[in-house]
Amino acid sequence: MKFTFDRDAMISEIAIAQEIISTKSALSILSNVLFNAQNNTLVIKATDIKVNFETKIPVDIQEEGSITIFCDKFMGILASLPAGEIEFNLEQKDTQTIAIIRHTAKKIKFQLKCMSQDKFPEFPEIQEVPFFEVPGKKLKAMIAQTSFAVSEDETRYFMNGVYFEKKENNLVLVATDGRRLAYASKEVLNGAMDFPSAIVHPKVLNIVAKHASDEGNVSVAIVDKMIFFRFANYELSSTLLDGQFPNYQRVIPEHQPNSFQVQKSDLVDALKRTSLMVDKKAGRIFLTAIPGALTVTSQESDLGDAKEEFPCQYNGQEITIAMNYHYVEEPLKVIGSDRITFEFSEAMKAVTLRPEPAEDYFHIIMPMQMA
């Protein structure tokens, strides 16, 4: 096996493979990327068993073949080399296969031990999978609005992913950890075939959100307990999470008669300052709304407390709601509007955060006890 490739083109693909690979053990086949060189194309594969990644780049092949190579060390080598053409050549030394990596214009040479591709996991075939198309920009926005809210509690594995659902022509994404819920819905499925609802691992979604283009579509398919994505020269697949996703409709309040509005930048800055005095384990802050003003206060501790007041559009009676500041801060990072509306009925019932004016996504937060 022997081929030459452009260093910068290879780095961009191996960087994505590194995001997939979760083990750094040089002895594990799952720490390796698979190279398959044929017809002046190099197919690159990486997997952590749950998520599979495949891409192709043009290379100049002198001798076809397949091998797996330790991804982390290969990336380190690439990063150390100057830009230009790199030669990759396999040599046999006793019973060990060695990759010789040379810069074609400079006297730089690395030798890296390789592993046979025989034990590299097989990827599912996707030629016959029924794909539907989703605009890349809209799918990325929906992932951003939801993926951060999944549960990290592995005993509640059915909440460790983002729920995908088709409702008429709308694609609906929902995530919850039991104390908050993130919801996004967009009419992007006109003409798409029905597909089963699914709980999708956030790892594959975050890779799609990071690397898919805002231009054009992402092809998506859900079939046989797998989800598949295609965009640009990339193919991703992931096993779906088992279990019954909670009935999220029961969490969404039907009617919240009270609301106040604030400038997002005011709230972001106040949270940043107030959180300096917050007990990081409890994370409790208090939001007190009175007509014309909102006060953000940290809980008193042995170290002290913090308080900040700023303008608020509100006409109701004074109310104080205790909330986990992370649950307020994280949606603010992805809400795109300059103003935020908080909708509520009473202090201990669900609070809804929406952009103002309202769009096709929102965030629901359960208040904390006052003390």
Side-chain angles (χ1 to χ4, degrees), residues 259-271 285-296 308-315 319 323 328-329 332 335-344 351-357:
S259 67
F260 59 81
Q261 285 180 29
V262 295
Q263 198 72 15
K264 184 175 80 168
S265 58
D266 288 343
L267 182 56
V268 168
D269 291 344
L271 286 172
I285 58 166
F286 302 98
L287 303 181
T288 301
I290 61 173
L294 181 71
T295 301
V296 181
E308 182 165 341
E309 181 182 298
F310 52 90
C312 167
Q313 184 179 327
Y314 178 55
N315 297 317
I319 186 167
M323 306 183 85
V328 181
E329 179 185 56
L332 294 177
I335 291 176
S337 62
D338 292 333
R339 290 186 66 78
I340 307 292
T341 294
F342 285 70
E343 298 175 349
F344 60 96
V351 177
T352 303
L353 273 67
R354 296 182 183 271
E356 182 59 41

Side-chain angles (χ1 to χ4, degrees), residues 24 44 54 76 104 109 122 137 203 225 316 319 321-323 334:
K24 300 290 192 212
I44 303 168
E54 180 177 327
T104 59
K109 174 184 174 182
E122 292 285 336
K137 187 174 183 178
K203 182 175 183 177
K225 297 186 177 181
I319 186 167
I321 304 173
M323 306 183 85
V334 295

Side-chain angles (χ1 to χ4, degrees), residues 141-159:
M142 296 179 74
I143 293 170
Q145 290 294 339
T146 54
S147 63
F148 66 87
V150 302
S151 173
E152 295 181 355
D153 181 356
E154 294 188 0
T155 65
R156 307 172 83 184
Y157 56 89
F158 50 87
M159 295 197 299

Side-chain angles (χ1 to χ4, degrees), residues 164 200 204 220-223 225-229 236-238 240:
F164 271 55
V200 183
V204 70
V220 186
I222 298 173
V223 63
K225 297 186 177 181
M226 297 284 296
I227 189 166
F228 301 88
F229 297 94
L236 289 153
S237 60
S238 176
L240 299 173

